[in-house]
Amino acid sequence: MNVTAPAREFGRLFSLGLDVTAGMFRRPFQLREFVQQFWFVASVSILPAMLVSIPFGAVLTLQLGSLTAQIGAESFNGAASVLAVIQQASPIVTTLVVAGAGGCAICADLGSRTIREEIDAMEVLGVSPVHRLVVPRVLASMAAAVLLNGLVSVVGVLGGYVFNVVLQDGTPGAFVASFSALAQPSDLWVSELKALIFGFIAGLVASYRGLNPKGGPKGVGDVVNQSVVITFLLLFFVNLVITVLYLRFVPPKGT
């Protein structure tokens, strides 16, 4: 087994990321391709993301409500659950759905184009596949993730609110008051920043694996599965880094 293979793969992925970043500022911008990909990613992700966010918000609210009741801090249940949903659950849920639905389609599309030698034909004609195909798909994943993150945050918070009031006998006033006392705008901004970065990772990994299938049609299915797994691993690692930096450099409200 070649132990340097993962390092080479990561290097190629990083190189593609730099090419995609540079291609975002290159003209002409592929507006039509971007709009089509954005609409597709958003249409296949919006309903699953909303449905998944409801149990996420409910579980966080119920678990935190039980914990705050044990330590006599029921009045802070609203703040704890809402901040957990906005900062952690929403961007993760959004990107998991974007990568699992839209990312798989992106990877399969580029993989099928590659094995049909369409990508090679574009390069022979002097057309950059990265600029023409990859950049619009990555930007579409980023835009869809940012917009869906706001929607998922709202649905998750509403789900947590309903479960707190109905199942845990919480009061609506205490739920809202505790959130407004501890939350700050930077909590929303870091959530949107996470969604933006996670969307970039999802689109980039899906495109990279789609451009590098092996073994014919069977290889396309393999790279689709690989893209989802790799995205999930990178997602949780990057989320850890961003969360640590945020808690380190952004002081909590009231301190």
Side-chain angles (χ1 to χ4, degrees):
M1 179 179 179
N2 191 349
V3 296
T4 62
R8 287 200 303 269
E9 289 291 323
F10 180 79
R12 296 191 186 102
L13 177 64
F14 184 79
S15 177
L16 179 62
L18 294 179
D19 292 340
V20 170
T21 303
M24 293 178 182
F25 305 97
R26 180 181 165 191
R27 296 296 179 267
F29 180 70
Q30 306 297 325
L31 179 60
R32 182 176 180 179
E33 188 77 16
F34 166 75
V35 173
Q36 290 177 345
Q37 293 299 319
F38 170 78
W39 176 252
F40 171 76
V41 173
S43 62
V44 299
S45 302
I46 183 170
L47 183 59
M50 292 176 60
L51 294 177
V52 172
S53 66
I54 295 175
F56 255 87
V59 169
L60 287 174
T61 299
L62 294 175
Q63 186 64 47
L64 290 172
S66 176
L67 177 62
T68 54
Q70 293 177 15
I71 61 177
E74 295 92 337
S75 59
F76 293 101
N77 185 32
S81 59
V82 171
L83 290 178
V85 168
I86 292 177
Q87 288 189 22
Q88 304 298 329
S90 292
I92 290 178
V93 167
T94 300
T95 313
L96 291 179
V97 174
V98 169
C104 287
I106 290 173
C107 185
D109 176 46
L110 293 178
S112 62
R113 290 171 182 256
T114 302
I115 65 173
R116 291 197 305 264
E117 300 183 349
E118 292 182 17
I119 303 300
D120 294 336
M122 293 178 65
E123 293 175 345
V124 170
L125 294 173
V127 178
S128 171
V130 173
H131 181 251
R132 180 63 180 82
L133 300 176
V134 177
V135 171
R137 284 162 170 76
V138 174
L139 286 174
S141 299
M142 295 169 65
V146 170
L147 296 178
L148 285 176
N149 180 63
L151 179 62
V152 169
S153 297
V154 173
V155 175
V157 170
L158 289 177
Y161 171 84
V162 170
F163 276 85
N164 174 255
V165 173
V166 174
L167 297 182
Q168 295 182 317
D169 298 324
T171 59
F175 189 94
V176 175
S178 64
F179 169 63
S180 60
L182 297 180
Q184 53 187 338
S186 59
D187 298 323
L188 178 61
W189 299 133
V190 73
S191 177
E192 293 292 341
L193 176 63
K194 284 183 177 181
L196 184 69
I197 295 175
F198 295 166
F200 176 83
I201 293 174
L204 180 65
V205 173
S207 300
Y208 172 74
R209 296 309 299 151
L211 292 173
N212 296 277
K214 297 179 181 179
K218 179 181 180 300
V220 176
D222 293 338
V223 294
V224 169
N225 294 332
Q226 293 170 11
S227 69
V228 175
V229 175
I230 295 172
T231 300
F232 286 6
L233 293 176
L234 291 176
L235 166 66
F236 289 112
F237 175 76
V238 174
N239 180 64
L240 172 64
V241 174
I242 296 176
T243 301
V244 170
L245 293 176
Y246 176 75
L247 296 177
R248 175 67 178 82
F249 293 106
V250 179
K253 188 175 181 179
T255 59

PDB file of all heavy atoms in Angstrom, residues 160-195:
ATOM      1  N   GLY A 160     -37.560  23.558  18.190  1.00  0.00           N
ATOM      2  CA  GLY A 160     -37.142  23.530  19.588  1.00  0.00           C
ATOM      3  C   GLY A 160     -38.090  24.287  20.491  1.00  0.00           C
ATOM      4  O   GLY A 160     -38.380  23.855  21.619  1.00  0.00           O
ATOM      5  N   TYR A 161     -38.598  25.408  20.003  1.00  0.00           N
ATOM      6  CA  TYR A 161     -39.552  26.198  20.785  1.00  0.00           C
ATOM      7  C   TYR A 161     -40.822  25.399  21.076  1.00  0.00           C
ATOM      8  O   TYR A 161     -41.295  25.353  22.218  1.00  0.00           O
ATOM      9  CB  TYR A 161     -39.879  27.482  20.023  1.00  0.00           C
ATOM     10  CG  TYR A 161     -41.008  28.289  20.593  1.00  0.00           C
ATOM     11  CD1 TYR A 161     -40.793  29.190  21.630  1.00  0.00           C
ATOM     12  CD2 TYR A 161     -42.301  28.152  20.101  1.00  0.00           C
ATOM     13  CE1 TYR A 161     -41.828  29.935  22.158  1.00  0.00           C
ATOM     14  CE2 TYR A 161     -43.341  28.887  20.621  1.00  0.00           C
ATOM     15  CZ  TYR A 161     -43.109  29.782  21.643  1.00  0.00           C
ATOM     16  OH  TYR A 161     -44.142  30.513  22.170  1.00  0.00           O
ATOM     17  N   VAL A 162     -41.354  24.754  20.049  1.00  0.00           N
ATOM     18  CA  VAL A 162     -42.597  23.987  20.224  1.00  0.00           C
ATOM     19  C   VAL A 162     -42.383  22.846  21.204  1.00  0.00           C
ATOM     20  O   VAL A 162     -43.202  22.623  22.113  1.00  0.00           O
ATOM     21  CB  VAL A 162     -43.089  23.462  18.864  1.00  0.00           C
ATOM     22  CG1 VAL A 162     -44.231  22.469  19.059  1.00  0.00           C
ATOM     23  CG2 VAL A 162     -43.524  24.611  17.978  1.00  0.00           C
ATOM     24  N   PHE A 163     -41.280  22.115  21.052  1.00  0.00           N
ATOM     25  CA  PHE A 163     -41.041  20.981  21.944  1.00  0.00           C
ATOM     26  C   PHE A 163     -40.771  21.443  23.377  1.00  0.00           C
ATOM     27  O   PHE A 163     -41.161  20.767  24.327  1.00  0.00           O
ATOM     28  CB  PHE A 163     -39.858  20.159  21.423  1.00  0.00           C
ATOM     29  CG  PHE A 163     -40.242  19.169  20.366  1.00  0.00           C
ATOM     30  CD1 PHE A 163     -40.315  19.547  19.037  1.00  0.00           C
ATOM     31  CD2 PHE A 163     -40.561  17.859  20.684  1.00  0.00           C
ATOM     32  CE1 PHE A 163     -40.676  18.651  18.048  1.00  0.00           C
ATOM     33  CE2 PHE A 163     -40.927  16.945  19.714  1.00  0.00           C
ATOM     34  CZ  PHE A 163     -40.994  17.345  18.381  1.00  0.00           C
ATOM     35  N   ASN A 164     -40.106  22.589  23.531  1.00  0.00           N
ATOM     36  CA  ASN A 164     -39.851  23.092  24.878  1.00  0.00           C
ATOM     37  C   ASN A 164     -41.147  23.512  25.569  1.00  0.00           C
ATOM     38  O   ASN A 164     -41.364  23.197  26.750  1.00  0.00           O
ATOM     39  CB  ASN A 164     -38.883  24.273  24.818  1.00  0.00           C
ATOM     40  CG  ASN A 164     -38.679  24.936  26.172  1.00  0.00           C
ATOM     41  OD1 ASN A 164     -39.203  26.018  26.430  1.00  0.00           O
ATOM     42  ND2 ASN A 164     -37.923  24.275  27.037  1.00  0.00           N
ATOM     43  N   VAL A 165     -42.003  24.196  24.841  1.00  0.00           N
ATOM     44  CA  VAL A 165     -43.242  24.696  25.436  1.00  0.00           C
ATOM     45  C   VAL A 165     -44.244  23.569  25.660  1.00  0.00           C
ATOM     46  O   VAL A 165     -44.911  23.497  26.697  1.00  0.00           O
ATOM     47  CB  VAL A 165     -43.845  25.804  24.551  1.00  0.00           C
ATOM     48  CG1 VAL A 165     -45.219  26.221  25.065  1.00  0.00           C
ATOM     49  CG2 VAL A 165     -42.913  27.003  24.499  1.00  0.00           C
ATOM     50  N   VAL A 166     -44.332  22.640  24.697  1.00  0.00           N
ATOM     51  CA  VAL A 166     -45.364  21.604  24.763  1.00  0.00           C
ATOM     52  C   VAL A 166     -44.936  20.448  25.661  1.00  0.00           C
ATOM     53  O   VAL A 166     -45.713  20.000  26.534  1.00  0.00           O
ATOM     54  CB  VAL A 166     -45.693  21.089  23.346  1.00  0.00           C
ATOM     55  CG1 VAL A 166     -46.648  19.905  23.410  1.00  0.00           C
ATOM     56  CG2 VAL A 166     -46.287  22.201  22.496  1.00  0.00           C
ATOM     57  N   LEU A 167     -43.719  19.933  25.476  1.00  0.00           N
ATOM     58  CA  LEU A 167     -43.308  18.721  26.187  1.00  0.00           C
ATOM     59  C   LEU A 167     -42.597  18.995  27.505  1.00  0.00           C
ATOM     60  O   LEU A 167     -42.625  18.141  28.394  1.00  0.00           O
ATOM     61  CB  LEU A 167     -42.385  17.884  25.290  1.00  0.00           C
ATOM     62  CG  LEU A 167     -43.000  17.353  23.995  1.00  0.00           C
ATOM     63  CD1 LEU A 167     -41.997  16.497  23.230  1.00  0.00           C
ATOM     64  CD2 LEU A 167     -44.268  16.549  24.291  1.00  0.00           C
ATOM     65  N   GLN A 168     -41.978  20.143  27.640  1.00  0.00           N
ATOM     66  CA  GLN A 168     -41.227  20.423  28.868  1.00  0.00           C
ATOM     67  C   GLN A 168     -41.868  21.505  29.719  1.00  0.00           C
ATOM     68  O   GLN A 168     -41.256  21.991  30.666  1.00  0.00           O
ATOM     69  CB  GLN A 168     -39.791  20.820  28.507  1.00  0.00           C
ATOM     70  CG  GLN A 168     -39.005  19.683  27.841  1.00  0.00           C
ATOM     71  CD  GLN A 168     -37.572  20.070  27.544  1.00  0.00           C
ATOM     72  OE1 GLN A 168     -37.308  21.167  27.072  1.00  0.00           O
ATOM     73  NE2 GLN A 168     -36.644  19.168  27.824  1.00  0.00           N
ATOM     74  N   ASP A 169     -43.076  21.884  29.367  1.00  0.00           N
ATOM     75  CA  ASP A 169     -43.835  22.873  30.140  1.00  0.00           C
ATOM     76  C   ASP A 169     -43.079  24.185  30.308  1.00  0.00           C
ATOM     77  O   ASP A 169     -43.181  24.865  31.339  1.00  0.00           O
ATOM     78  CB  ASP A 169     -44.200  22.306  31.528  1.00  0.00           C
ATOM     79  CG  ASP A 169     -45.086  21.080  31.421  1.00  0.00           C
ATOM     80  OD1 ASP A 169     -45.927  21.049  30.501  1.00  0.00           O
ATOM     81  OD2 ASP A 169     -44.914  20.154  32.237  1.00  0.00           O
ATOM     82  N   GLY A 170     -42.306  24.543  29.294  1.00  0.00           N
ATOM     83  CA  GLY A 170     -41.617  25.825  29.329  1.00  0.00           C
ATOM     84  C   GLY A 170     -42.561  26.953  28.983  1.00  0.00           C
ATOM     85  O   GLY A 170     -43.643  26.743  28.420  1.00  0.00           O
ATOM     86  N   THR A 171     -42.174  28.167  29.316  1.00  0.00           N
ATOM     87  CA  THR A 171     -42.993  29.338  29.004  1.00  0.00           C
ATOM     88  C   THR A 171     -42.414  30.050  27.797  1.00  0.00           C
ATOM     89  O   THR A 171     -41.186  30.189  27.679  1.00  0.00           O
ATOM     90  CB  THR A 171     -43.044  30.302  30.197  1.00  0.00           C
ATOM     91  OG1 THR A 171     -41.712  30.713  30.530  1.00  0.00           O
ATOM     92  CG2 THR A 171     -43.671  29.619  31.397  1.00  0.00           C
ATOM     93  N   PRO A 172     -43.256  30.502  26.894  1.00  0.00           N
ATOM     94  CA  PRO A 172     -42.757  31.200  25.701  1.00  0.00           C
ATOM     95  C   PRO A 172     -41.912  32.421  26.051  1.00  0.00           C
ATOM     96  O   PRO A 172     -40.891  32.689  25.412  1.00  0.00           O
ATOM     97  CB  PRO A 172     -44.032  31.583  24.952  1.00  0.00           C
ATOM     98  CG  PRO A 172     -45.062  30.605  25.422  1.00  0.00           C
ATOM     99  CD  PRO A 172     -44.721  30.318  26.854  1.00  0.00           C
ATOM    100  N   GLY A 173     -42.332  33.170  27.067  1.00  0.00           N
ATOM    101  CA  GLY A 173     -41.591  34.375  27.440  1.00  0.00           C
ATOM    102  C   GLY A 173     -40.178  34.069  27.914  1.00  0.00           C
ATOM    103  O   GLY A 173     -39.225  34.760  27.538  1.00  0.00           O
ATOM    104  N   ALA A 174     -40.024  33.030  28.739  1.00  0.00           N
ATOM    105  CA  ALA A 174     -38.704  32.682  29.243  1.00  0.00           C
ATOM    106  C   ALA A 174     -37.804  32.178  28.119  1.00  0.00           C
ATOM    107  O   ALA A 174     -36.602  32.470  28.089  1.00  0.00           O
ATOM    108  CB  ALA A 174     -38.827  31.619  30.332  1.00  0.00           C
ATOM    109  N   PHE A 175     -38.374  31.437  27.184  1.00  0.00           N
ATOM    110  CA  PHE A 175     -37.597  30.909  26.067  1.00  0.00           C
ATOM    111  C   PHE A 175     -37.020  32.057  25.239  1.00  0.00           C
ATOM    112  O   PHE A 175     -35.839  32.075  24.904  1.00  0.00           O
ATOM    113  CB  PHE A 175     -38.487  30.026  25.193  1.00  0.00           C
ATOM    114  CG  PHE A 175     -37.766  29.261  24.130  1.00  0.00           C
ATOM    115  CD1 PHE A 175     -37.346  27.959  24.358  1.00  0.00           C
ATOM    116  CD2 PHE A 175     -37.491  29.840  22.900  1.00  0.00           C
ATOM    117  CE1 PHE A 175     -36.682  27.237  23.375  1.00  0.00           C
ATOM    118  CE2 PHE A 175     -36.833  29.135  21.913  1.00  0.00           C
ATOM    119  CZ  PHE A 175     -36.425  27.830  22.151  1.00  0.00           C
ATOM    120  N   VAL A 176     -37.867  33.025  24.904  1.00  0.00           N
ATOM    121  CA  VAL A 176     -37.425  34.140  24.068  1.00  0.00           C
ATOM    122  C   VAL A 176     -36.507  35.074  24.851  1.00  0.00           C
ATOM    123  O   VAL A 176     -35.493  35.557  24.321  1.00  0.00           O
ATOM    124  CB  VAL A 176     -38.646  34.910  23.530  1.00  0.00           C
ATOM    125  CG1 VAL A 176     -38.196  36.142  22.749  1.00  0.00           C
ATOM    126  CG2 VAL A 176     -39.492  34.004  22.660  1.00  0.00           C
ATOM    127  N   ALA A 177     -36.821  35.334  26.116  1.00  0.00           N
ATOM    128  CA  ALA A 177     -36.024  36.279  26.903  1.00  0.00           C
ATOM    129  C   ALA A 177     -34.609  35.778  27.124  1.00  0.00           C
ATOM    130  O   ALA A 177     -33.641  36.550  27.044  1.00  0.00           O
ATOM    131  CB  ALA A 177     -36.713  36.540  28.245  1.00  0.00           C
ATOM    132  N   SER A 178     -34.446  34.491  27.410  1.00  0.00           N
ATOM    133  CA  SER A 178     -33.106  33.963  27.653  1.00  0.00           C
ATOM    134  C   SER A 178     -32.264  34.012  26.384  1.00  0.00           C
ATOM    135  O   SER A 178     -31.061  34.288  26.435  1.00  0.00           O
ATOM    136  CB  SER A 178     -33.191  32.525  28.165  1.00  0.00           C
ATOM    137  OG  SER A 178     -33.768  31.668  27.177  1.00  0.00           O
ATOM    138  N   PHE A 179     -32.906  33.781  25.239  1.00  0.00           N
ATOM    139  CA  PHE A 179     -32.167  33.844  23.984  1.00  0.00           C
ATOM    140  C   PHE A 179     -31.706  35.272  23.696  1.00  0.00           C
ATOM    141  O   PHE A 179     -30.552  35.510  23.335  1.00  0.00           O
ATOM    142  CB  PHE A 179     -33.043  33.327  22.847  1.00  0.00           C
ATOM    143  CG  PHE A 179     -32.476  33.594  21.484  1.00  0.00           C
ATOM    144  CD1 PHE A 179     -31.275  33.038  21.091  1.00  0.00           C
ATOM    145  CD2 PHE A 179     -33.140  34.431  20.597  1.00  0.00           C
ATOM    146  CE1 PHE A 179     -30.749  33.289  19.833  1.00  0.00           C
ATOM    147  CE2 PHE A 179     -32.622  34.679  19.345  1.00  0.00           C
ATOM    148  CZ  PHE A 179     -31.429  34.111  18.963  1.00  0.00           C
ATOM    149  N   SER A 180     -32.610  36.231  23.850  1.00  0.00           N
ATOM    150  CA  SER A 180     -32.245  37.620  23.569  1.00  0.00           C
ATOM    151  C   SER A 180     -31.215  38.153  24.560  1.00  0.00           C
ATOM    152  O   SER A 180     -30.478  39.084  24.251  1.00  0.00           O
ATOM    153  CB  SER A 180     -33.501  38.500  23.596  1.00  0.00           C
ATOM    154  OG  SER A 180     -34.115  38.444  24.873  1.00  0.00           O
ATOM    155  N   ALA A 181     -31.128  37.549  25.747  1.00  0.00           N
ATOM    156  CA  ALA A 181     -30.171  38.022  26.746  1.00  0.00           C
ATOM    157  C   ALA A 181     -28.754  37.527  26.471  1.00  0.00           C
ATOM    158  O   ALA A 181     -27.786  38.202  26.832  1.00  0.00           O
ATOM    159  CB  ALA A 181     -30.616  37.570  28.141  1.00  0.00           C
ATOM    160  N   LEU A 182     -28.616  36.374  25.836  1.00  0.00           N
ATOM    161  CA  LEU A 182     -27.287  35.783  25.656  1.00  0.00           C
ATOM    162  C   LEU A 182     -26.817  35.760  24.210  1.00  0.00           C
ATOM    163  O   LEU A 182     -25.613  35.646  23.955  1.00  0.00           O
ATOM    164  CB  LEU A 182     -27.276  34.348  26.210  1.00  0.00           C
ATOM    165  CG  LEU A 182     -27.523  34.185  27.710  1.00  0.00           C
ATOM    166  CD1 LEU A 182     -27.482  32.713  28.101  1.00  0.00           C
ATOM    167  CD2 LEU A 182     -26.502  34.976  28.521  1.00  0.00           C
ATOM    168  N   ALA A 183     -27.721  35.822  23.255  1.00  0.00           N
ATOM    169  CA  ALA A 183     -27.329  35.737  21.848  1.00  0.00           C
ATOM    170  C   ALA A 183     -26.803  37.081  21.361  1.00  0.00           C
ATOM    171  O   ALA A 183     -27.106  38.141  21.920  1.00  0.00           O
ATOM    172  CB  ALA A 183     -28.508  35.297  20.997  1.00  0.00           C
ATOM    173  N   GLN A 184     -26.003  37.035  20.295  1.00  0.00           N
ATOM    174  CA  GLN A 184     -25.453  38.243  19.690  1.00  0.00           C
ATOM    175  C   GLN A 184     -25.348  38.032  18.183  1.00  0.00           C
ATOM    176  O   GLN A 184     -25.358  36.883  17.698  1.00  0.00           O
ATOM    177  CB  GLN A 184     -24.085  38.564  20.293  1.00  0.00           C
ATOM    178  CG  GLN A 184     -23.088  37.424  20.271  1.00  0.00           C
ATOM    179  CD  GLN A 184     -21.821  37.748  21.040  1.00  0.00           C
ATOM    180  OE1 GLN A 184     -21.496  38.908  21.247  1.00  0.00           O
ATOM    181  NE2 GLN A 184     -21.108  36.731  21.465  1.00  0.00           N
ATOM    182  N   PRO A 185     -25.264  39.114  17.410  1.00  0.00           N
ATOM    183  CA  PRO A 185     -25.232  38.959  15.938  1.00  0.00           C
ATOM    184  C   PRO A 185     -24.095  38.082  15.431  1.00  0.00           C
ATOM    185  O   PRO A 185     -24.238  37.413  14.405  1.00  0.00           O
ATOM    186  CB  PRO A 185     -25.085  40.409  15.449  1.00  0.00           C
ATOM    187  CG  PRO A 185     -25.678  41.242  16.540  1.00  0.00           C
ATOM    188  CD  PRO A 185     -25.342  40.527  17.815  1.00  0.00           C
ATOM    189  N   SER A 186     -22.974  38.063  16.130  1.00  0.00           N
ATOM    190  CA  SER A 186     -21.839  37.259  15.659  1.00  0.00           C
ATOM    191  C   SER A 186     -22.171  35.767  15.649  1.00  0.00           C
ATOM    192  O   SER A 186     -21.557  35.005  14.889  1.00  0.00           O
ATOM    193  CB  SER A 186     -20.614  37.508  16.541  1.00  0.00           C
ATOM    194  OG  SER A 186     -20.887  37.187  17.901  1.00  0.00           O
ATOM    195  N   ASP A 187     -23.130  35.332  16.462  1.00  0.00           N
ATOM    196  CA  ASP A 187     -23.534  33.923  16.435  1.00  0.00           C
ATOM    197  C   ASP A 187     -24.144  33.561  15.083  1.00  0.00           C
ATOM    198  O   ASP A 187     -23.893  32.473  14.551  1.00  0.00           O
ATOM    199  CB  ASP A 187     -24.550  33.642  17.550  1.00  0.00           C
ATOM    200  CG  ASP A 187     -23.969  33.881  18.932  1.00  0.00           C
ATOM    201  OD1 ASP A 187     -22.784  33.569  19.131  1.00  0.00           O
ATOM    202  OD2 ASP A 187     -24.693  34.391  19.800  1.00  0.00           O
ATOM    203  N   LEU A 188     -24.927  34.471  14.527  1.00  0.00           N
ATOM    204  CA  LEU A 188     -25.509  34.235  13.210  1.00  0.00           C
ATOM    205  C   LEU A 188     -24.452  34.332  12.119  1.00  0.00           C
ATOM    206  O   LEU A 188     -24.437  33.534  11.179  1.00  0.00           O
ATOM    207  CB  LEU A 188     -26.635  35.230  12.940  1.00  0.00           C
ATOM    208  CG  LEU A 188     -27.302  35.139  11.563  1.00  0.00           C
ATOM    209  CD1 LEU A 188     -27.932  33.775  11.359  1.00  0.00           C
ATOM    210  CD2 LEU A 188     -28.341  36.245  11.398  1.00  0.00           C
ATOM    211  N   TRP A 189     -23.539  35.296  12.260  1.00  0.00           N
ATOM    212  CA  TRP A 189     -22.509  35.462  11.224  1.00  0.00           C
ATOM    213  C   TRP A 189     -21.590  34.257  11.148  1.00  0.00           C
ATOM    214  O   TRP A 189     -21.193  33.832  10.058  1.00  0.00           O
ATOM    215  CB  TRP A 189     -21.695  36.731  11.497  1.00  0.00           C
ATOM    216  CG  TRP A 189     -22.477  38.006  11.483  1.00  0.00           C
ATOM    217  CD1 TRP A 189     -22.427  39.017  12.392  1.00  0.00           C
ATOM    218  CD2 TRP A 189     -23.451  38.414  10.518  1.00  0.00           C
ATOM    219  NE1 TRP A 189     -23.302  40.020  12.077  1.00  0.00           N
ATOM    220  CE2 TRP A 189     -23.946  39.683  10.924  1.00  0.00           C
ATOM    221  CE3 TRP A 189     -23.971  37.832   9.360  1.00  0.00           C
ATOM    222  CZ2 TRP A 189     -24.919  40.365  10.194  1.00  0.00           C
ATOM    223  CZ3 TRP A 189     -24.942  38.519   8.635  1.00  0.00           C
ATOM    224  CH2 TRP A 189     -25.391  39.754   9.054  1.00  0.00           C
ATOM    225  N   VAL A 190     -21.231  33.703  12.298  1.00  0.00           N
ATOM    226  CA  VAL A 190     -20.343  32.532  12.254  1.00  0.00           C
ATOM    227  C   VAL A 190     -21.085  31.330  11.680  1.00  0.00           C
ATOM    228  O   VAL A 190     -20.485  30.479  11.000  1.00  0.00           O
ATOM    229  CB  VAL A 190     -19.774  32.215  13.652  1.00  0.00           C
ATOM    230  CG1 VAL A 190     -20.834  31.608  14.578  1.00  0.00           C
ATOM    231  CG2 VAL A 190     -18.588  31.274  13.564  1.00  0.00           C
ATOM    232  N   SER A 191     -22.382  31.258  11.909  1.00  0.00           N
ATOM    233  CA  SER A 191     -23.173  30.182  11.312  1.00  0.00           C
ATOM    234  C   SER A 191     -23.184  30.302   9.791  1.00  0.00           C
ATOM    235  O   SER A 191     -23.004  29.308   9.067  1.00  0.00           O
ATOM    236  CB  SER A 191     -24.607  30.221  11.854  1.00  0.00           C
ATOM    237  OG  SER A 191     -25.408  29.234  11.242  1.00  0.00           O
ATOM    238  N   GLU A 192     -23.385  31.515   9.290  1.00  0.00           N
ATOM    239  CA  GLU A 192     -23.383  31.727   7.842  1.00  0.00           C
ATOM    240  C   GLU A 192     -21.988  31.504   7.257  1.00  0.00           C
ATOM    241  O   GLU A 192     -21.847  30.990   6.139  1.00  0.00           O
ATOM    242  CB  GLU A 192     -23.878  33.142   7.521  1.00  0.00           C
ATOM    243  CG  GLU A 192     -25.335  33.382   7.844  1.00  0.00           C
ATOM    244  CD  GLU A 192     -26.265  32.578   6.943  1.00  0.00           C
ATOM    245  OE1 GLU A 192     -25.838  32.124   5.876  1.00  0.00           O
ATOM    246  OE2 GLU A 192     -27.436  32.390   7.312  1.00  0.00           O
ATOM    247  N   LEU A 193     -20.953  31.893   7.992  1.00  0.00           N
ATOM    248  CA  LEU A 193     -19.582  31.649   7.522  1.00  0.00           C
ATOM    249  C   LEU A 193     -19.305  30.159   7.426  1.00  0.00           C
ATOM    250  O   LEU A 193     -18.696  29.687   6.448  1.00  0.00           O
ATOM    251  CB  LEU A 193     -18.583  32.314   8.474  1.00  0.00           C
ATOM    252  CG  LEU A 193     -17.098  32.063   8.162  1.00  0.00           C
ATOM    253  CD1 LEU A 193     -16.727  32.635   6.799  1.00  0.00           C
ATOM    254  CD2 LEU A 193     -16.204  32.640   9.253  1.00  0.00           C
ATOM    255  N   LYS A 194     -19.749  29.418   8.420  1.00  0.00           N
ATOM    256  CA  LYS A 194     -19.594  27.959   8.361  1.00  0.00           C
ATOM    257  C   LYS A 194     -20.311  27.385   7.139  1.00  0.00           C
ATOM    258  O   LYS A 194     -19.754  26.552   6.419  1.00  0.00           O
ATOM    259  CB  LYS A 194     -20.164  27.316   9.633  1.00  0.00           C
ATOM    260  CG  LYS A 194     -19.295  27.459  10.864  1.00  0.00           C
ATOM    261  CD  LYS A 194     -19.939  26.725  12.028  1.00  0.00           C
ATOM    262  CE  LYS A 194     -19.068  26.787  13.270  1.00  0.00           C
ATOM    263  NZ  LYS A 194     -19.671  26.045  14.400  1.00  0.00           N
ATOM    264  N   ALA A 195     -21.537  27.824   6.906  1.00  0.00           N
ATOM    265  CA  ALA A 195     -22.300  27.317   5.764  1.00  0.00           C
ATOM    266  C   ALA A 195     -21.590  27.638   4.455  1.00  0.00           C
ATOM    267  O   ALA A 195     -21.539  26.810   3.541  1.00  0.00           O
ATOM    268  CB  ALA A 195     -23.708  27.900   5.769  1.00  0.00           C
TER     269      ALA A 195
END
